[in-house]
Amino acid sequence: MHSVVISGTGLYQPPHTITNAELVESFNRYVDLQNAQHATEIAAGTREPLQHSSVEFIEKASGIKQRYVLEKSGILDPTRMYPRLQERPDDQLSLMGELAVAASQQALQQAGKTGADIDAVLCAASNMQRAYPAMAVEIQQALGAGGYGFDMNVACSSATFAIEQAVNAVRTGSAKCVLVVNPEITSGHQAWNDRDCHFIFGDVCTAVIVERADTATTADAWEVLGTRLATQFSNNIRNNFGFLNRSEDSDPNARDKTFRQEGRKVFKEVVPIAAAHIEGHLSDLGHAPSAVRRYWLHQANQGMNQLVIKKLAGDASADLAPLILDEFANTASAGSIIAFHKHRADLAAGDVGVICSFGAGYSVGSVVLRKR
Ligand code: CO8
């Protein structure tokens, strides 16, 4: 068995931001248009009027202040409410592939590696833009990597679940250097016209290099002390978009074919699951939660992260569990990796940290790291 490290990370950040003020302004115009269009049914009491959203609610309920998106004019157009993306010909690098290559190149550079050093590519995200060929195989070719590639989806836990697959492959010798990449184009499957969740998501792509400790050349290497995954079925976060929609003669634009959730239930149910998961994992590795120098948590809700950390360490400071969701919003599986990417430079050799994701499934994944 080989000792395994994370030796580099990368972040692709889309060019456009949407502030809460911009988002709410366009959402409220959409509401006014819809209510005007259905004024007769609303007056007759056969239809409920839609209600305005508010910046104050969004910031208080979630901690989100803005989000990055690949395209904003379509999202902010009250007669459309989703991005305008251009279809690409088959012989051109796909959009997810383009994001993945940008983030991966950064991660490779940090790790002091090139595409040729990679012998496995795992593309792990909440949605893939096509059924096949696997995105990972296209990314493998674009980077000049060898070995094999495959796609996987565990919603918000896609990155941590993929890191465990990468760590196991390197530990057992079936790969030497694995790229885990998370292109999360959440704007494509977000319900921008639903007041309960229109503010939640942002687009981004992260990448992580997992390799054998004895091949790592960077000074910024993080030994993987352990990984742990858990799932428990729940319908509280669900999207019914899928390849059987046509055969079922269902409406591809129906509300259930985009993201939907029972946010309050998710909040209540997932906090204790995540805290117990991290505590159990650390305990089995012989570490007390209070001895952990940093937690890089899933970024869905500020209050949720504070509760998880308070349960674990009795303290919820930004130093212990940095937040990036104020700037990025919820970026599905990429959130905890963005936190790790941006908030690790100040840790010293020997410091222990935990990456942990939680979300749809339900799913929880933790990766315990020690700075070399
Ligand atoms: N503006 C103003 N008022 C609002 C708004 C709004 N936009 N939305 C709701 N309200 C009102 C409600 O109507 C309600 O009013 P009333 O009290 O009169 O009934 C009141 O505000 C409170 O509503 P909620 O109970 O819904 O509000 P919460 O305090 O629960 O906050 C949150 C809502 C922010 C959604 C919160 O519940 C939350 O963050 N929950 C956790 C969610 C979570 O962690 N989800 C994980 C999902 S991510 C994941 O797993 C990946 C999925 C794959 C990616 C998909 C990409 C598209």
Side-chain angles (χ1 to χ4, degrees):
M1 294 286 180
H2 300 284
S3 179
V4 184
V5 296
I6 289 180
S7 56
T9 56
L11 170 65
Y12 167 83
Q13 196 171 299
H16 309 288
T17 56
I18 300 181
T19 64
N20 286 343
E22 285 176 287
L23 189 75
V24 166
E25 197 269 332
S26 88
F27 179 85
N28 289 349
R29 279 198 289 139
Y30 163 79
V31 166
D32 294 341
L33 280 174
Q34 288 291 312
N35 287 345
Q37 205 176 323
H38 299 285
T40 315
E41 300 108 288
I42 292 169
T46 54
R47 190 184 180 106
E48 285 294 316
L50 296 179
Q51 289 177 286
H52 279 182
S53 181
S54 90
V55 170
E56 297 70 37
F57 171 83
I58 295 170
E59 292 183 2
K60 191 160 173 265
S62 70
I64 295 164
K65 296 201 169 116
Q66 62 158 50
R67 69 283 299 140
Y68 294 98
V69 290
L70 289 169
E71 201 286 322
K72 70 188 267 190
S73 73
I75 295 170
L76 295 181
D77 177 347
T79 64
R80 181 178 171 97
M81 306 296 277
Y82 47 88
R84 289 190 181 92
L85 302 176
Q86 241 177 351
E87 195 174 13
R88 296 182 178 188
D90 289 356
D91 60 1
Q92 199 181 328
L93 185 65
S94 61
L95 184 58
M96 276 183 85
E98 186 180 306
L99 269 55
V101 166
S104 303
Q105 278 167 343
Q106 261 189 45
L108 285 167
Q109 199 180 5
Q110 263 197 14
K113 295 275 184 285
T114 68
D117 295 311
I118 299 293
D119 56 1
V121 176
L122 310 189
C123 179
S126 300
N127 268 290
M128 298 299 154
Q129 75 173 81
R130 62 167 180 259
Y132 40 80
M135 302 306 310
V137 181
E138 186 184 8
I139 297 162
Q140 174 194 25
Q141 185 197 43
L143 290 170
Y148 63 92
F150 63 86
D151 293 349
M152 51 181 285
N153 172 3
V154 199
C156 285
S157 290
S158 300
T160 52
F161 275 54
I163 288 172
E164 172 162 300
Q165 308 323 305
V167 168
N168 289 344
V170 174
R171 238 189 245 305
T172 55
S174 68
K176 281 188 180 144
C177 187
V178 184
L179 166 69
V180 172
V181 63
N182 323 104
E184 291 285 9
I185 308 181
T186 64
S187 59
H189 47 112
Q190 156 73 324
W192 295 99
N193 58 354
D194 183 334
R195 174 180 182 253
D196 287 342
C197 63
H198 76 111
F199 53 88
I200 291 181
F201 291 103
D203 297 334
V204 87
C205 180
T206 49
V208 176
I209 306 292
V210 176
E211 64 172 309
R212 272 168 48 173
D214 60 6
T215 62
T217 54
T218 174
D220 185 32
W222 295 77
E223 186 187 354
V224 180
L225 300 180
T227 57
R228 179 167 293 179
L229 315 179
T231 51
Q232 181 184 309
F233 186 66
S234 167
N235 273 322
N236 287 333
I237 310 168
R238 191 166 172 125
N239 181 341
N240 284 333
F241 176 77
F243 78 102
L244 292 180
N245 292 159
R246 184 183 67 164
S247 309
E248 292 164 345
D249 293 312
S250 59
D251 174 3
N253 295 317
R255 177 65 189 89
D256 74 321
K257 306 299 187 301
T258 49
F259 170 87
R260 68 202 157 104
Q261 71 168 355
E262 295 283 344
R264 181 124 320 180
K265 284 190 190 160
V266 174
F267 192 115
K268 274 196 188 146
E269 292 172 10
V270 169
V271 165
I273 294 174
H277 177 97
I278 296 171
E279 195 169 18
H281 190 191
L282 283 169
S283 162
D284 288 352
L285 291 169
H287 296 281
S290 56
V292 170
R293 178 67 185 82
R294 186 148 295 156
Y295 290 92
W296 299 285
L297 297 183
H298 179 52
Q299 305 281 321
N301 182 294
Q302 181 172 9
M304 221 169 164
N305 285 15
Q306 283 172 348
L307 272 177
V308 170
I309 287 301
K310 271 194 191 142
K311 273 179 190 284
L312 286 168
D315 164 35
S317 70
D319 182 59
L320 187 59
L323 272 185
I324 55 90
L325 65 74
D326 51 345
E327 179 185 351
F328 288 86
N330 182 342
T331 50
S333 73
S336 57
I337 307 301
I338 302 174
F340 177 62
H341 177 78
K342 285 185 162 284
H343 296 282
R344 69 173 191 265
D346 57 321
L347 268 59
D351 280 347
V352 170
V354 179
I355 296 174
C356 184
S357 67
F358 34 87
Y362 296 134
S363 57
V364 193
S366 52
V367 182
V368 181
L369 300 170
R370 181 166 53 209
K371 182 152 166 92
R372 276 213 308 188

